[in-house]
Amino acid sequence: MGRNKPVTLLLLALAAAAAFSLAAGPAGLSDPAVILNLRLPRTLAALAVGAALGLAGALFQGVLKNPLSDPYILGTSSGATAAAVFCFLAGVERTSPVFFLAVFAGAFGATFLAYWLARVAGRLSDASLVLAGVAVSAFLSALVMLTLSVARERSFSLFYFVLGGLYAVEPRVLLASALIIACAAAAAMSRWRALDAMSLGEEKAYHLGADPGRERLIFFALACAATSAAVALGGTIGFVGLMTPHIVRLAAGPSARRLLPASAIGGAALLAAADAAGRAFFPPVEIPAGVIMALAGAPFFMWLLWRRRPDASA
Amino acid sequence: MPLLKAEGLTFSYGSAPLLAGLSFELRRGDFMCVLGPNGSGKSTLLKLLTGYIKTRGGSVKIKGEAPGTMAAGRLARLAAFVPSETSTPYDFSVAETVLLGRTGRAGFWRGYSAEDRAAAGLAMEETGLTRLAPRSINTLSTGERQLVFIAQALAQEASLLLLDEPTSHLDLKYKADIMALLSRLAGRGMAVAAVLHEPALARLGCNKALLLRGGGEYAFGPAAEMLTVASLARTYGLPPGSPLLGSGFAPG
């Protein structure tokens, strides 16, 4: 049916990206063991991280009524990354619940700080939110870099974690993260109507029968949970959360009922493709997925700002 | 029992009182205009009535219940509010936007029921938007978009309708259409309160008027008594001879 066409398209893109990811690498398709033991977990991780970031982007853009927001720009990812780096250095296992809780706390704290700063500055719906997010994430990134410079002995592997990439995927971390992401997605889907109400603005949402303060807290928590799980798996990967909702909105429309699942599927496809591209383009060198996403995403962000210029056709 | 009862409402943003001891009530069939100079608290009053802003004193009762204490869904079933301007960067269709008026009635998880769709369809018919249903609200004119949010409020099926400057930025035809629509709704047993900027419009169908004169001073009563030239001149601080005030309330 016509209604399901965007979903079919997205699922095709997902299948293509997954196939690309399974096939990409110096060994090509010659070694089944490489495909099964190395590329399959890595592909699954890319799909999970992409889905989480796409979902988080759609949630932030809806609940804040701001199309320029995503977990990378708001500082959510930086907060999670900083917490993860401190956990590594403190010797907390990547698989322990303490690790996930700490990463979530970092993500949530950074997000609320950026939100609060933008709110104090007076305008949520525009550039001040981006400014606040940039300020928070720049500070946290600097803190991480300072820590890495001081802690020399382990900094090389951590440096790659901060850069954002999917190298050594631990099955247990993958499982735990995927579970968190699935729960966050299901909970967010159950409140799609409240998210739509919020994307008309807080005052309108209140009068339509959604409590804005409560919805903000719920959707921030869900977006932060998904982002934390993504960061635990793949470090800081930007722009998936920003780009995906914009792209899938063209096909699925703005309503969260279809936007949320479409953003999750689209984000999964996007990141799996980006990660595979990083392996395929300059063999035997690997480009981290985070770098590929920034290469594609930064121009996309510029285009978004350009499109919002005052003289653009309404 | 009145549908809406405000008693001794008091509010201020700084030290100077904006509203001081304001009391009035609306019953089914009432169509009240709220008039007053800029900054006299008209928009603030509407948000106090729905509990979006908390009062500093006094009470509001909608069907005997205080809006601040009821669940958000309950409030949306009793009262609908149309802001002076609603914008969103996202291209919701007219039909989707009107259906969102059912947020307070539809549960989570499930989609819209046949009843929800019927209410939204009726609201679009009432406002003449049926043919625009699939269009993005961001491609509409200001007047059409204002009608979309009035339709959304109608889809809430609340008996109290509050509107903040529903006719600003609109041409005369839209102003007249919207005033006629609001009179019709009041005639059907709703209570309507609208912040307006022009006394001439208020004379088209309002039976009650609330004049905010700044500094907490106000007057409330039948439109015929409130919308006289003398009373309006005092409200806006204009000489009684000003042509801007029109010719007063024309009886009959």
Side-chain angles (χ1 to χ4, degrees):
Chain A
M1 301 296 283
R3 279 176 68 120
N4 295 324
K5 210 171 154 193
V7 178
T8 316
L9 269 173
L10 277 169
L11 287 174
L12 279 176
L14 183 72
F20 180 29
S21 178
L22 286 174
L29 291 169
S30 58
D31 192 346
V34 168
I35 297 178
L36 201 66
N37 298 333
L38 289 179
R39 291 189 201 146
L40 181 65
R42 183 161 174 168
T43 302
L44 291 176
L47 294 174
V49 170
L53 295 176
L55 177 79
L59 293 177
F60 279 132
Q61 288 179 15
V63 78
L64 292 165
K65 198 184 116 174
N66 186 329
L68 296 181
S69 41
D70 94 323
Y72 187 64
I73 290 163
L74 287 176
T76 317
S77 297
S78 311
T81 304
V85 165
F86 292 136
C87 279
F88 292 148
L89 292 175
V92 178
E93 281 291 313
R94 236 184 187 197
T95 43
S96 84
V98 177
F99 176 76
F100 277 97
L101 278 176
V103 172
F104 177 78
F108 200 74
T111 310
F112 249 99
L113 181 60
Y115 166 78
W116 177 78
L117 283 171
R119 181 129 213 164
V120 169
R123 283 184 64 85
L124 267 184
S125 55
D126 250 299
S128 48
L129 191 67
V130 177
L131 275 178
V134 166
V136 169
S137 47
F139 180 74
L140 289 169
S141 300
L143 212 59
V144 166
M145 289 303 164
L146 177 74
T147 313
L148 290 186
S149 310
V150 173
R152 280 208 207 110
E153 70 281 12
R154 293 191 62 188
S155 67
F156 189 72
S157 60
L158 285 183
F159 182 70
Y160 270 90
F161 173 79
V162 170
L163 216 51
L166 304 147
Y167 303 102
V169 177
E170 285 174 54
R172 279 165 65 192
V173 179
L174 175 58
L175 197 69
S177 292
L179 205 68
I180 294 172
I181 294 162
C183 290
M189 268 308 290
S190 75
R191 311 186 72 79
W192 66 271
R193 218 188 316 264
L195 192 63
D196 277 0
M198 287 298 280
S199 58
L200 294 180
E202 290 191 7
E203 185 186 282
K204 195 68 244 198
Y206 173 84
H207 291 103
L208 286 173
D211 180 343
R214 201 184 62 183
E215 300 303 336
R216 190 191 312 122
L217 201 65
I218 291 174
F219 286 117
F220 271 26
L222 294 174
C224 288
T227 307
S228 315
V231 166
L233 265 176
T236 321
I237 297 176
F239 297 105
V240 180
L242 176 76
M243 289 170 72
T244 311
H246 282 276
I247 298 169
V248 301
R249 242 182 237 118
L250 298 174
S255 175
R257 190 180 194 186
R258 271 188 282 163
L259 181 67
L260 293 182
S263 292
I265 297 171
L270 190 65
L271 190 61
D275 182 50
R279 273 177 283 148
F281 287 168
F282 301 99
V285 179
E286 262 192 33
I287 318 290
V291 173
I292 299 280
M293 280 315 302
L295 277 176
F300 186 86
F301 193 65
M302 294 174 200
W303 173 75
L304 273 186
L305 288 169
W306 172 254
R307 211 178 56 147
R308 288 160 59 83
R309 72 195 185 279
D311 61 323
S313 61
Chain B
M1 183 173 65
L3 200 56
L4 172 70
K5 191 176 173 72
E7 258 186 316
L9 277 189
T10 299
F11 188 80
S12 64
Y13 284 111
S15 52
L18 194 61
L19 304 173
L22 180 114
S23 302
F24 69 92
E25 56 177 62
L26 289 180
R27 294 173 178 277
R28 288 181 173 281
D30 278 344
F31 180 8
M32 175 181 83
C33 61
V34 183
L35 293 170
N38 289 336
S40 58
K42 304 186 294 292
S43 300
T44 303
L45 171 67
L46 291 191
K47 288 169 203 169
L48 288 170
L49 294 178
T50 63
Y52 187 65
I53 303 177
K54 304 275 168 273
T55 61
R56 300 283 160 80
S59 72
V60 176
K61 294 277 164 63
I62 302 175
K63 282 194 177 167
E65 290 177 66
T69 62
M70 46 175 117
R74 171 89 181 135
L75 171 72
R77 293 193 291 275
L78 292 179
F81 171 68
V82 181
S84 58
E85 209 176 340
T86 307
S87 70
T88 175
Y90 309 117
D91 288 321
F92 285 98
S93 74
V94 169
E96 277 173 327
T97 310
V98 175
L99 270 168
L100 275 177
R102 304 297 289 177
T103 305
R105 292 180 187 267
F108 293 120
W109 279 114
R110 69 179 180 82
Y112 293 110
S113 66
E115 194 188 336
D116 293 332
R117 292 189 185 283
L122 204 66
M124 284 193 284
E125 214 168 287
E126 187 86 55
T127 46
L129 291 170
T130 310
R131 74 195 159 80
L132 298 178
R135 285 265 298 274
S136 156
I137 53 171
N138 290 328
T139 66
L140 303 179
S141 71
T142 316
E144 288 167 334
R145 194 157 52 237
Q146 188 63 265
L147 280 174
V148 171
F149 286 99
I150 293 178
Q152 185 188 61
L154 292 183
Q156 287 179 232
E157 292 184 319
S159 34
L160 177 63
L161 178 59
L162 305 168
L163 308 98
D164 192 0
E165 300 184 23
T167 58
S168 56
H169 314 301
L170 302 187
D171 63 35
L172 289 175
K173 171 86 172 76
Y174 268 116
K175 283 184 207 267
D177 284 352
I178 286 179
M179 289 306 288
L181 171 64
L182 298 181
S183 306
R184 211 157 62 230
L185 295 172
R188 219 184 286 158
M190 288 178 78
V192 180
V195 168
L196 297 175
H197 267 304
E198 294 130 298
L201 273 183
R203 291 177 190 123
L204 293 174
C206 292
N207 68 331
K208 296 271 173 65
L210 175 63
L211 306 178
L212 300 181
R213 290 171 169 152
E217 205 190 318
Y218 78 100
F220 170 74
E225 290 168 28
M226 292 291 118
L227 302 180
T228 60
V229 171
S231 154
L232 289 171
R234 200 178 142 212
T235 302
Y236 289 99
L238 285 170
S242 169
L244 293 174
L245 297 172
S247 53
F249 200 90

